Amino acid sequence: MAKMNDIHPGARIGNNVSIGNFTTIHDDVEIGDGCEIHNNVTIFPGARIGKNVKIFPGAVIAGIPQDLKFRGEITTAEIGDGTTIRECATVNRGTASKGKTVVGSNCLIMAYTHIAHDCLIGDQVIISNATQLAGEVIIDNNAVIGGGSLVHQFCHLGRNIMLQGGALVNKDIPPFVKAAREPISYVGLNTIGLHRNGFSQEDIQLIQEIYRIIYLSDMNVSHALDLVRETISDSPIKNEIIDFIANSGRGIIRSAV
């Protein structure tokens, strides 16, 4: 009779966890209560999986980084509570750079997505089918990433963005916007997503005014930020946008409008 699955005795598995046939769980793995691990899943050392996570067939969690600088250091791949990892998705563990790869809580990581070493994914993020994230990408809460997107290493995608499918991303995308076209560009606010996530009409009008200055005033970014600081009343939203852009390592996307 074929061996149905292979679970290392050192794996720490919570209560009410279901594990399908032909799944392999290595040592130094933690799986929280109520998880549903389907058939043919591989979970390597360093996986830290929260409660009520669903992992579908063919997924691989905490595989070693595809990074030539990796020297076998002890690192983790962390999956937050309530997240779903669909078929054949891969989440590599971290390197010495950050020490961990993180996927937050209540995310949906669709089939064939790759999340590389040291990526930091926030909560309630949706990453659609076959998206590929290079190393050390940051995606903030409530972002929606269209299918088949390719995101360059070190890019930062702000919260509540909407990214079109098939996008080639090599710049940072500031929060609350829609990004589309080729090259990837600002095309307006993610208005529907903002409404769905409880932003008031006043908040949305404020965000629109800030991005009107940044993207539609014919100023360079530093001068546009100065104008935002001078003319827009202080608020957490204003400060978040300014801080994101001012600290952008790769520079932000340009406007297509």
Side-chain angles (χ1 to χ4, degrees), residues 49-56 61 78-87 89 91 101-111 113 115 119-129 133 138-145 160:
I49 297 170
K51 298 178 180 179
N52 302 311
V53 172
K54 295 181 180 180
I55 304 178
F56 280 72
I61 309 300
E78 303 176 8
I79 311 296
D81 296 348
T83 281
T84 296
I85 310 288
R86 291 303 304 254
E87 295 84 353
V91 182
T101 303
V102 177
V103 177
S105 297
N106 300 308
C107 294
L108 174 56
I109 310 301
M110 295 189 192
T113 290
I115 298 175
C119 287
L120 302 177
I121 311 301
D123 298 335
Q124 298 178 307
V125 170
I126 297 172
I127 303 181
S128 300
N129 298 304
L133 306 183
I138 298 173
I139 302 179
D140 294 334
N141 295 349
N142 299 107
V144 178
I145 310 302
N160 295 92

Side-chain angles (χ1 to χ4, degrees), residues 115-170:
I115 298 175
H117 65 89
D118 302 292
C119 287
L120 302 177
I121 311 301
D123 298 335
Q124 298 178 307
V125 170
I126 297 172
I127 303 181
S128 300
N129 298 304
T131 291
Q132 309 292 292
L133 306 183
E136 304 197 47
V137 166
I138 298 173
I139 302 179
D140 294 334
N141 295 349
N142 299 107
V144 178
I145 310 302
S149 295
L150 305 177
V151 184
H152 195 281
Q153 63 186 0
F154 305 114
C155 282
H156 185 181
L157 282 58
R159 71 180 176 113
N160 295 92
I161 68 156
M162 172 71 77
L163 177 65
Q164 78 164 19
L168 304 177
V169 181
N170 61 1

Side-chain angles (χ1 to χ4, degrees), residues 202-214:
E202 291 76 17
D203 288 337
I204 293 171
Q205 289 173 347
L206 170 63
I207 295 166
Q208 193 164 42
E209 177 61 17
I210 291 170
Y211 283 121
R212 185 192 65 78
I213 295 171
I214 291 168

Side-chain angles (χ1 to χ4, degrees), residues 2 18 22 26 64 85-86 95 112-113 144 162 195 197 213 228 247 253 257:
S18 65
F22 309 110
H26 289 253
I64 64 171
I85 310 288
R86 291 303 304 254
T95 69
Y112 296 97
T113 290
V144 178
M162 172 71 77
H195 279 300
N197 284 281
I213 295 171
V228 170
N247 294 310
I253 57 174
V257 179

Side-chain angles (χ1 to χ4, degrees), residues 155-158 161-164 167-181 183-188 211 214-215 221 244-245 248 250-256:
C155 282
H156 185 181
L157 282 58
I161 68 156
M162 172 71 77
L163 177 65
Q164 78 164 19
L168 304 177
V169 181
N170 61 1
K171 296 288 185 181
D172 294 345
I173 301 177
F176 316 125
V177 308
K178 289 189 296 186
R181 303 189 184 179
I184 196 68
S185 304
Y186 166 84
V187 294
Y211 283 121
I214 291 168
Y215 279 117
V221 172
F244 184 101
I245 296 172
S248 171
R250 297 188 59 82
I252 63 170
I253 57 174
R254 297 185 178 182
S255 176

